[in-house]
Amino acid sequence: MSDRSLRGMRLGAQSMETEAGVEPAARQRVEYRCEDGEQVFVIFAAEAEIPQTWTSKTGKEATLVNGEKQEEESTEKPVRTHWDMLLERRTPEELETILQDRLDKLRATRGAAQAAAKS
């Protein structure tokens, strides 16, 4: 009975296509180096744009070896703090006046609260 049973292939496990006549894409091997001397090799397509820095598996930043040094352009805006935005709306003299008014008001309410507590 076992001689007459049909034997099939495992679906998806093996490909019926051959690799004859297939050429892999052109590649280039690029070397990066960390500050501590760790070497990182990355394979890119031949037409790919090569980045100046690469993060290694250990999490360190590696720079391109034998690459052109590009000056990093700061496209980011400088961080604006709350103080910077406040100075865009008010002058330092106005801020001093506002501060003094608020302090006077605070002292008045505290004084009234202390007087009420003593009574």
Side-chain angles (χ1 to χ4, degrees):
M1 179 120 162
S2 65
D3 293 338
R4 290 187 223 155
S5 64
L6 294 174
R7 295 179 188 236
M9 289 193 58
R10 293 169 281 175
L11 293 176
Q14 296 174 338
S15 173
M16 299 297 287
E17 294 182 25
T18 64
E19 294 185 11
V22 176
E23 292 183 29
R27 302 181 218 166
Q28 58 181 331
R29 186 175 187 220
V30 179
E31 179 183 358
Y32 291 90
R33 192 167 292 141
C34 298
E35 289 183 7
D36 63 353
E38 177 185 355
Q39 290 180 326
V40 179
F41 294 98
V42 183
I43 297 176
F44 290 99
E47 64 273 357
E49 185 175 323
I50 308 300
Q52 292 295 317
T53 59
W54 190 264
T55 304
S56 68
K57 290 181 182 178
T58 57
K60 300 177 216 165
E61 189 163 304
T63 56
L64 183 63
V65 176
N66 298 331
E68 297 175 9
K69 298 285 183 183
Q70 292 182 349
E71 294 183 22
E72 294 184 17
E73 296 177 17
S74 178
T75 58
E76 298 178 18
K77 293 181 179 179
V79 178
R80 286 177 43 198
T81 63
H82 178 73
W83 179 251
D84 294 333
M85 290 184 274
L86 188 63
L87 288 177
E88 289 174 6
R89 296 189 309 269
R90 309 260 190 215
T91 64
E93 294 78 22
E94 290 176 316
L95 292 173
E96 284 292 328
T97 306
I98 293 170
L99 176 63
Q100 194 58 46
D101 292 344
R102 297 303 297 171
L103 287 174
D104 291 342
K105 185 175 181 180
L106 181 64
R107 289 180 185 134
T109 56
R110 283 193 179 171
Q114 288 177 354
K118 289 183 182 178
S119 306

